[in-house]
Amino acid sequence: MNKLLLLSILFIILSCKKTAEVKNDENILVNKNYFSVSENDRKIHRHSNYEVVDTVEMPEAIYSDKRLNEDYALGGIHFLIENNEKSYYVINYLEPFVSMCGTMDRMTKQDSINSVNRNIKIIQKAKLISTSTIEKILYENREKIVNINSRMPLQISFALKDDILKGQTMYNIIQFMEDSKMYIYTIRRMNKDEISFTKMNLVKR
């Protein structure tokens, strides 16, 4: 249980450092006409004013642990975006993990393997949806995501099949999340198991 808690806290910390706040068209980090995962990562790393969520201070051991495989990290709600028409989503959890005070062990190699294997199983439960319904799903779960009462908002994660998604899809999603105070989210490329999952579902159809 402590290991799972450690993985979850580490993921939240990493995402807090990567979260970009959409303020206005002059300051925006996300292009309105397309979205590039690699370009977005570069912009965020260059940006000096990160929006860091006010959370309980975490043990130093978590910050220096490099064993978490970020390619397989999942938020409370995880979206696989294949293109502007077709996506998948899975609810991983809707209750925030509460951090406990005290010393926590560093993640081991086996912890990382266990986390990847667990998340592969979760990905395989993803449901096919229209990409245009992502904002609706986020809205329906807004109370859980924002979680004002406990001040422990949920992490939302997105995985894109390709580095570049043309059009305003990601711009609109991010704008909606920022306007709805859903500030903790990550966007990455699909890992090989997520790509395999989408291919298998294409064959089934």
Side-chain angles (χ1 to χ4, degrees), residues 60-108:
E60 181 63 29
I62 296 176
Y63 287 94
S64 57
D65 202 321
K66 304 298 182 183
R67 290 190 176 93
L68 178 68
N69 188 336
E70 291 187 64
D71 289 339
Y72 284 82
L74 306 181
I77 304 177
H78 183 59
F79 294 93
L80 300 171
I81 300 179
E82 192 163 343
N83 52 48
N84 286 307
E85 287 75 43
K86 187 168 66 173
S87 293
Y88 301 84
Y89 91 105
V90 62
I91 293 180
N92 186 10
Y93 56 85
L94 288 177
E95 294 297 329
F97 290 98
V98 179
S99 61
M100 305 297 291
C101 296
T103 303
M104 300 183 73
D105 296 333
R106 291 177 184 272
M107 184 187 299
T108 66

Coordinates of all heavy atoms in Angstrom, one line a residue, residues 60-108:
E60 N 11.8 14.3 0.7 CA 12.8 14.6 -0.3 C 13.1 13.4 -1.1 O 13.4 13.5 -2.3 CB 14.1 15.1 0.4 CG 15.2 15.4 -0.6 CD 14.8 16.5 -1.5 OE1 14.0 17.4 -1.1 OE2 15.3 16.5 -2.7
A61 N 12.9 12.2 -0.6 CA 13.2 10.9 -1.3 C 12.4 10.8 -2.6 O 12.8 10.3 -3.6 CB 13.0 9.7 -0.4
I62 N 11.1 11.3 -2.5 CA 10.3 11.2 -3.7 C 10.8 12.1 -4.8 O 10.8 11.7 -6.0 CB 8.8 11.7 -3.3 CG1 8.3 10.7 -2.2 CG2 7.9 11.7 -4.5 CD1 6.9 11.2 -1.7
Y63 N 11.3 13.3 -4.5 CA 11.7 14.2 -5.6 C 12.9 13.6 -6.4 O 13.0 13.8 -7.6 CB 12.2 15.5 -5.0 CG 11.0 16.4 -4.5 CD1 10.6 16.3 -3.2 CD2 10.4 17.2 -5.4 CE1 9.6 17.1 -2.7 CE2 9.3 18.0 -4.9 CZ 8.9 18.0 -3.6 OH 7.9 18.8 -3.2
S64 N 13.8 12.9 -5.7 CA 15.0 12.4 -6.3 C 14.8 11.0 -6.9 O 15.8 10.4 -7.5 CB 16.1 12.4 -5.3 OG 15.8 11.5 -4.2
D65 N 13.7 10.4 -6.8 CA 13.4 9.0 -7.3 C 13.2 9.1 -8.8 O 12.2 9.8 -9.3 CB 12.3 8.4 -6.6 CG 12.3 6.9 -6.7 OD1 12.7 6.4 -7.8 OD2 12.0 6.2 -5.7
K66 N 14.0 8.4 -9.6 CA 13.9 8.5 -11.1 C 13.3 7.2 -11.7 O 13.3 7.1 -12.9 CB 15.3 8.8 -11.7 CG 16.0 10.0 -11.2 CD 15.2 11.3 -11.5 CE 15.9 12.5 -11.0 NZ 15.1 13.7 -11.2
R67 N 12.8 6.3 -10.9 CA 12.4 5.0 -11.4 C 11.0 5.0 -12.0 O 10.6 4.0 -12.6 CB 12.6 3.9 -10.3 CG 14.0 3.6 -10.0 CD 14.1 2.4 -9.1 NE 15.5 2.0 -8.9 CZ 16.2 2.4 -7.8 NH1 15.7 3.2 -7.0 NH2 17.5 2.1 -7.7
L68 N 10.2 6.0 -11.7 CA 8.9 6.0 -12.2 C 8.9 6.1 -13.7 O 9.5 7.0 -14.3 CB 8.1 7.2 -11.6 CG 6.7 7.3 -12.2 CD1 5.8 6.2 -11.7 CD2 6.1 8.7 -11.7
N69 N 8.2 5.2 -14.4 CA 8.1 5.2 -15.9 C 7.0 6.1 -16.3 O 5.8 5.7 -16.2 CB 7.9 3.7 -16.4 CG 8.0 3.7 -17.9 OD1 7.8 4.7 -18.6 ND2 8.3 2.5 -18.4
E70 N 7.3 7.3 -16.6 CA 6.3 8.3 -16.9 C 5.4 8.0 -18.1 O 4.3 8.5 -18.3 CB 6.9 9.7 -17.1 CG 7.5 10.3 -15.8 CD 7.9 11.7 -16.0 OE1 7.1 12.6 -16.3 OE2 9.1 11.9 -15.8
D71 N 6.0 7.1 -19.0 CA 5.2 6.7 -20.2 C 4.0 5.9 -19.8 O 3.1 5.7 -20.7 CB 6.1 5.9 -21.2 CG 7.2 6.8 -21.8 OD1 7.0 8.0 -21.9 OD2 8.2 6.2 -22.3
Y72 N 4.0 5.3 -18.6 CA 2.9 4.5 -18.2 C 2.1 5.1 -17.0 O 1.2 4.5 -16.4 CB 3.4 3.1 -17.8 CG 3.7 2.3 -19.0 CD1 4.9 2.4 -19.6 CD2 2.8 1.4 -19.5 CE1 5.2 1.6 -20.8 CE2 3.0 0.6 -20.6 CZ 4.2 0.7 -21.2 OH 4.5 -0.1 -22.3
A73 N 2.4 6.4 -16.7 CA 1.7 7.0 -15.6 C 0.3 7.4 -16.0 O 0.1 7.9 -17.1 CB 2.5 8.3 -15.2
L74 N -0.7 7.1 -15.1 CA -2.1 7.4 -15.4 C -2.6 8.3 -14.3 O -2.3 8.2 -13.1 CB -2.9 6.1 -15.4 CG -2.5 5.0 -16.4 CD1 -3.4 3.8 -16.2 CD2 -2.4 5.5 -17.8
G75 N -3.5 9.2 -14.7 CA -4.2 10.0 -13.7 C -5.5 9.4 -13.2 O -5.7 8.2 -13.5
G76 N -6.2 10.1 -12.5 CA -7.5 9.6 -12.0 C -8.4 9.2 -13.1 O -9.1 8.2 -13.1
I77 N -8.4 10.1 -14.2 CA -9.1 9.8 -15.4 C -8.1 9.9 -16.5 O -7.4 10.9 -16.6 CB -10.3 10.8 -15.7 CG1 -11.3 10.8 -14.5 CG2 -11.0 10.4 -16.9 CD1 -12.4 11.8 -14.6
H78 N -8.1 8.9 -17.4 CA -7.0 8.8 -18.4 C -7.7 8.8 -19.8 O -8.6 8.0 -20.0 CB -6.2 7.6 -18.2 CG -5.0 7.5 -19.2 ND1 -4.1 8.5 -19.3 CD2 -4.7 6.5 -20.1 CE1 -3.2 8.1 -20.3 NE2 -3.6 6.9 -20.8
F79 N -7.3 9.6 -20.7 CA -7.8 9.7 -22.1 C -6.8 9.3 -23.1 O -5.6 9.7 -23.0 CB -8.3 11.1 -22.4 CG -9.5 11.6 -21.6 CD1 -9.3 12.3 -20.4 CD2 -10.8 11.3 -22.0 CE1 -10.3 12.7 -19.7 CE2 -11.9 11.7 -21.2 CZ -11.6 12.4 -20.0
L80 N -7.1 8.4 -24.0 CA -6.3 8.0 -25.1 C -6.9 8.7 -26.3 O -8.1 8.4 -26.7 CB -6.3 6.5 -25.4 CG -5.8 5.6 -24.2 CD1 -6.0 4.2 -24.6 CD2 -4.3 5.9 -24.0
I81 N -6.2 9.6 -27.0 CA -6.7 10.4 -28.1 C -6.1 9.9 -29.4 O -4.9 10.1 -29.6 CB -6.5 11.9 -27.9 CG1 -7.2 12.4 -26.6 CG2 -7.0 12.7 -29.1 CD1 -7.0 13.9 -26.4
E82 N -6.8 9.2 -30.2 CA -6.3 8.6 -31.4 C -6.3 9.7 -32.5 O -5.3 9.8 -33.3 CB -7.1 7.4 -31.8 CG -6.5 6.6 -33.0 CD -7.1 5.2 -33.1 OE1 -7.8 4.7 -32.2 OE2 -6.9 4.6 -34.2
N83 N -7.4 10.4 -32.6 CA -7.5 11.5 -33.6 C -8.6 12.4 -33.2 O -9.1 12.3 -32.0 CB -7.7 11.0 -35.0 CG -8.9 10.0 -35.1 OD1 -10.0 10.3 -34.6 ND2 -8.7 8.9 -35.7
N84 N -9.0 13.4 -34.0 CA -10.0 14.3 -33.6 C -11.4 13.7 -33.5 O -12.3 14.4 -33.0 CB -10.0 15.5 -34.6 CG -8.9 16.4 -34.5 OD1 -8.6 16.9 -33.4 ND2 -8.1 16.7 -35.5
E85 N -11.6 12.5 -34.0 CA -12.9 11.9 -34.0 C -13.0 10.8 -32.9 O -14.0 10.6 -32.3 CB -13.2 11.2 -35.4 CG -13.6 12.2 -36.4 CD -12.3 13.0 -37.0 OE1 -11.3 12.3 -37.2 OE2 -12.4 14.2 -37.2
K86 N -11.9 10.0 -32.8 CA -12.0 8.8 -31.9 C -11.0 8.8 -30.8 O -9.8 9.1 -30.9 CB -11.7 7.5 -32.8 CG -11.9 6.2 -32.0 CD -11.9 5.0 -32.9 CE -10.5 4.8 -33.6 NZ -10.4 3.5 -34.3
S87 N -11.5 8.5 -29.6 CA -10.7 8.5 -28.4 C -11.2 7.3 -27.5 O -12.2 6.7 -27.8 CB -10.8 9.8 -27.6 OG -10.1 10.9 -28.3
Y88 N -10.5 7.1 -26.4 CA -10.9 6.2 -25.3 C -10.7 6.8 -24.0 O -9.9 7.8 -23.9 CB -10.0 4.9 -25.4 CG -10.0 4.2 -26.7 CD1 -9.2 4.6 -27.8 CD2 -10.9 3.1 -26.9 CE1 -9.3 3.9 -29.0 CE2 -10.9 2.4 -28.1 CZ -10.1 2.8 -29.2 OH -10.2 2.2 -30.4
Y89 N -11.4 6.4 -23.0 CA -11.1 6.9 -21.6 C -11.4 5.8 -20.6 O -12.1 4.8 -20.9 CB -12.0 8.1 -21.3 CG -13.3 7.8 -20.7 CD1 -13.5 8.0 -19.3 CD2 -14.4 7.3 -21.4 CE1 -14.7 7.8 -18.7 CE2 -15.6 7.1 -20.9 CZ -15.8 7.3 -19.5 OH -17.0 7.0 -18.9
V90 N -10.7 5.9 -19.5 CA -10.9 5.0 -18.4 C -10.8 5.7 -17.1 O -10.0 6.6 -17.0 CB -9.8 3.8 -18.4 CG1 -8.4 4.4 -18.3 CG2 -10.1 2.8 -17.4
I91 N -11.7 5.4 -16.2 CA -11.6 6.0 -14.8 C -10.7 5.1 -14.0 O -11.0 4.0 -13.7 CB -13.0 6.2 -14.2 CG1 -13.7 7.2 -15.0 CG2 -12.8 6.6 -12.7 CD1 -15.1 7.5 -14.5
N92 N -9.6 5.6 -13.6 CA -8.6 4.9 -12.7 C -9.0 5.0 -11.3 O -9.1 4.0 -10.6 CB -7.2 5.5 -13.0 CG -6.1 4.7 -12.3 OD1 -6.3 3.6 -11.8 ND2 -4.9 5.3 -12.2
Y93 N -9.3 6.2 -10.8 CA -9.8 6.4 -9.4 C -10.4 7.8 -9.4 O -10.1 8.7 -10.2 CB -8.7 6.3 -8.4 CG -7.5 7.3 -8.7 CD1 -7.5 8.6 -8.2 CD2 -6.4 6.8 -9.3 CE1 -6.5 9.5 -8.4 CE2 -5.3 7.7 -9.6 CZ -5.4 9.0 -9.1 OH -4.4 9.9 -9.4
L94 N -11.4 8.0 -8.5 CA -12.0 9.2 -8.3 C -11.9 9.8 -6.9 O -12.5 10.8 -6.6 CB -13.5 9.1 -8.7 CG -13.9 9.0 -10.1 CD1 -15.4 8.8 -10.4 CD2 -13.3 10.1 -11.0
E95 N -11.2 9.1 -6.1 CA -10.9 9.6 -4.7 C -9.4 9.9 -4.6 O -8.5 9.1 -5.0 CB -11.2 8.5 -3.7 CG -12.7 8.2 -3.6 CD -13.5 9.4 -3.2 OE1 -13.0 10.2 -2.4 OE2 -14.7 9.5 -3.6
P96 N -9.0 11.1 -4.2 CA -7.6 11.5 -4.1 C -6.9 10.7 -3.1 O -7.4 10.2 -2.1 CB -7.7 12.9 -3.7 CG -9.0 13.1 -3.0 CD -9.9 12.1 -3.7
F97 N -5.6 10.4 -3.4 CA -4.7 9.8 -2.4 C -4.3 10.8 -1.3 O -3.8 11.8 -1.6 CB -3.5 9.2 -3.1 CG -3.8 8.0 -4.0 CD1 -4.0 8.2 -5.3 CD2 -4.0 6.7 -3.4 CE1 -4.3 7.1 -6.1 CE2 -4.3 5.7 -4.2 CZ -4.5 5.8 -5.6
V98 N -4.5 10.4 -0.1 CA -4.1 11.3 1.0 C -2.7 10.9 1.4 O -2.4 9.7 1.7 CB -5.0 11.1 2.2 CG1 -4.6 12.0 3.3 CG2 -6.5 11.4 1.8
S99 N -1.8 11.9 1.5 CA -0.4 11.6 1.8 C -0.3 11.5 3.4 O -1.0 12.2 4.1 CB 0.5 12.7 1.3 OG 0.1 13.9 1.9
M100 N 0.6 10.7 3.8 CA 0.8 10.5 5.2 C 2.2 11.1 5.6 O 3.2 10.9 4.8 CB 0.8 9.0 5.6 CG -0.5 8.3 5.2 SD -1.9 8.9 6.0 CE -1.6 8.3 7.6
C101 N 2.3 11.7 6.7 CA 3.6 12.2 7.2 C 4.5 11.1 7.6 O 4.1 10.0 8.0 CB 3.4 13.1 8.4 SG 2.4 14.6 8.0
G102 N 5.8 11.4 7.4 CA 6.8 10.4 7.8 C 7.7 10.0 6.6 O 7.5 10.5 5.5
T103 N 8.7 9.2 6.9 CA 9.6 8.8 5.9 C 9.0 7.7 5.0 O 8.4 6.8 5.4 CB 10.9 8.2 6.5 OG1 11.4 9.2 7.4 CG2 11.9 7.9 5.5
M104 N 9.2 7.9 3.7 CA 8.8 6.9 2.7 C 10.0 6.3 1.9 O 10.9 7.1 1.6 CB 7.8 7.5 1.7 CG 6.5 8.0 2.4 SD 5.3 8.7 1.3 CE 4.7 7.1 0.6
D105 N 9.9 5.0 1.7 CA 11.0 4.4 1.0 C 11.1 4.8 -0.5 O 10.1 5.1 -1.1 CB 10.9 2.9 1.1 CG 11.0 2.3 2.5 OD1 11.7 3.0 3.3 OD2 10.4 1.3 2.8
R106 N 12.3 4.8 -1.0 CA 12.4 5.1 -2.5 C 11.8 3.9 -3.2 O 11.7 2.8 -2.8 CB 13.9 5.2 -2.8 CG 14.6 6.4 -2.3 CD 16.0 6.4 -2.7 NE 16.7 7.5 -2.0 CZ 16.9 8.7 -2.6 NH1 16.3 9.0 -3.8 NH2 17.5 9.7 -2.0
M107 N 11.4 4.2 -4.4 CA 10.8 3.2 -5.3 C 11.9 2.2 -5.8 O 13.0 2.7 -6.1 CB 10.2 3.9 -6.5 CG 9.5 2.9 -7.5 SD 9.0 3.8 -9.0 CE 7.9 5.0 -8.3
T108 N 11.6 1.0 -5.8 CA 12.5 0.0 -6.3 C 12.2 -0.3 -7.7 O 11.2 0.1 -8.3 CB 12.4 -1.3 -5.5 OG1 11.1 -1.9 -5.7 CG2 12.6 -1.1 -4.0

